[in-house]
Amino acid sequence: MPANDATRTPVPAAVTTPSSVKADIGTLEFPDGYPTADTAATLRDHVDYLHGVEAFMNMIHGVSLFAVRKGFQDAGINDGDVVIFSELMDSKSLFLTANADTVYFFAFLDLSDGPLVVETPSETLGCFDDIWFRWITDFGLPGPDRGQGGTYVLLPPGYDGPVPEGGAYVRQSRTNHFLLLGRAFINENPGDDPKPTADRIKQQLKIYPYAPGGVGSSIGAYLAGKGPLGGPASPRTPRFVEGTGLAMQTLPPNDFGHYELLDALVQLEPAEALDLELAGQFAAIGIVKGKRFAPDTRMRAILEQAVAVGNAASRTLGMGAHPADGFRFYDGDTAWWNMLFAGGFDFTNPPPEVTANGIELSPNTGARQLHSRTSWFYTATGVTPAMCMRLTGIGSQYLIANVDDSGASFDGAKTYRLTLPKDIPAGRFWSVTVYDNQTRSMVQTPQRYPRAGSQSRPTPAAEVEPDGSTVVYFAPAQPDGVAPGNWVQTDPDRGWFVLLRLYSPLKPFFDKTWRPSEIEAVQTKP
């Protein structure tokens, strides 16, 4: 017998699913609220596809760093070795937006056997990031040693053993493998010669196992039962591998191989290295710690579609092509942008303002800035607060331009001009470097170092105009009347973009009273 209408609770239409739903993926059928077999199969495929896109975009940083480690290993650089660019990094290596201005030194280190001690060299900008590209700590000028060089003890995940009472900066990594990334300056040296800087790094950098109860632990602590008693560790100089001129491929793949690298990284580290939500995204496409990643024909086809869209979306973010993301640095119509000012180094909130009254924090949104994170790691390597803090005289700042003053992307066959007004706000030095759109690495041309700047190495210093401004040209051939140091060569067959770097940035950069011109196309003589 039908129930009386008075006994029924009204059901709002908004909580029901129509028997037929038209969507972009087709018409979905739910007779009496239950999906047909075809609808269930369609939705299964689509949800798997969405998980594949999420897995690409939300953890591109982990795959990117794992690809760098793989590129090092393919070049004969093992964990524990230090690759150093004694003559600066050139365009031979495929390496995301590296500079040709500072002496780089890199090492991948492993905490699987216990804590490590790293004695860092003086006068550097450096950081330790875990293998998922999460910041552990800075060292050097922005770090606790403030550029004096310091002793850092890195602890593996879950470590609860003895640590030094003092004399060292103790930090814990969430992963066993981690990255040491350092840059050191050459403009203090006569003729901007990088050799003295490289020699100092080789002399001062030490990496060795931590000896519990040794230096940093007092005898009194041992006698009080608060720790072991051990002898001092023996500092060790790592094996240095020369990077200048070395052709390395360190870029992450944009095809199905991306998921294979992601799986390899998941298998490398403890399951606790990731939070449950992120690990769940990988598990949804079959990447699970301790299990073999073996997608069937259906799933592989879906993931190949997902990686194509995930890469396309990430590339669009990485090229700053979404004006709504708020990445533009200046008000009005401008090409200059930096994604870090939207989300900060941890991609949550903008970096704090530094005022005469102290630090002013941005309101906490309580949300991860996903587009900021994907954009950064599709384009760049390394993450540290020093890359986006609004503090004068420390660290470095970056502005990116991907289009000219008309909004068109840069054509490697054309000539362009950039004007930097006088008093460029860089306490140490400045540079502009050209990168290939496809590889996000230095553009490869006969000009080995595709940069212009205030340093006289590795290319001649840019000459200044009578009014104090500096004009830089980008063209496949050196324009008539333009000094060698004011021209960066482009490849007529490749699109490109540019990074403006300011080392030890000054107040006019942050308050925006100094502003570079937009990059304009120049008509050349036929």
Side-chain angles (χ1 to χ4, degrees), residues 25 28 30 35 37-50:
I25 59 175
L28 308 175
F30 295 89
D38 287 345
T39 290
T42 297
L43 288 171
R44 179 192 180 198
D45 288 352
H46 189 61
V47 170
D48 284 342
Y49 164 79
L50 294 177

Side-chain angles (χ1 to χ4, degrees), residues 81-88 101-107 118-126 139 149 180-186 189 193-207 236-242:
D81 294 340
V82 177
V83 58
I84 184 169
F85 292 82
S86 300
E87 290 292 332
L88 309 179
D101 308 312
T102 60
V103 175
Y104 274 115
F105 55 104
F106 296 86
V118 181
E119 296 181 12
T120 61
S122 59
E123 291 299 309
T124 59
L125 282 172
F139 66 83
L180 178 160
L181 166 59
R183 296 166 291 159
F185 304 115
I186 65 173
N189 304 330
D193 182 3
K195 186 177 185 303
T197 297
D199 289 345
R200 184 181 76 247
I201 295 168
K202 292 178 181 179
Q203 179 183 11
Q204 296 180 355
L205 180 62
K206 310 293 181 185
I207 303 171
R236 302 176 190 171
T237 298
R239 182 174 84 103
F240 285 93
V241 179
E242 182 54 55

Side-chain angles (χ1 to χ4, degrees), residues 125 141-142 183 185 385-389 391-398 427-429 502-505 510:
L125 282 172
L141 293 168
R183 296 166 291 159
F185 304 115
M387 289 179 168
C388 65
M389 59 187 178
L391 194 61
T392 60
I394 298 177
S396 51
Q397 288 296 338
Y398 311 84
R428 287 183 179 268
F429 59 92
L502 305 174
Y503 290 89
S504 297
F510 294 107

Side-chain angles (χ1 to χ4, degrees), residues 99 183 337-338 340-341 376 386-388 396-400 499-503 509:
N99 72 64
R183 296 166 291 159
W337 67 287
N338 184 324
L340 292 181
F341 283 106
W376 175 257
M387 289 179 168
C388 65
S396 51
Q397 288 296 338
Y398 311 84
L399 289 179
I400 310 170
L499 256 72
L500 168 64
R501 288 180 168 88
L502 305 174
Y503 290 89
F509 170 77

Side-chain angles (χ1 to χ4, degrees), residues 345-365:
F345 81 97
D346 60 354
F347 311 101
T348 53
N349 304 297
E353 297 284 352
V354 181
T355 72
N357 298 321
I359 294 295
E360 290 185 4
L361 298 175
S362 300
N364 184 13
T365 63

Side-chain angles (χ1 to χ4, degrees), residues 247-276:
M248 293 187 293
Q249 198 305 88
T250 70
L251 306 181
N254 294 332
D255 58 12
F256 185 80
H258 177 95
Y259 299 116
E260 293 174 318
L261 282 194
L262 176 59
D263 176 64
L265 178 52
V266 168
Q267 304 308 327
L268 180 69
E269 291 293 336
E272 297 77 18
L274 287 174
D275 64 64
L276 296 177

Side-chain angles (χ1 to χ4, degrees), residues 27 33 42 47 129 324 342 445:
T27 299
T42 297
V47 170
D129 289 338
T445 70

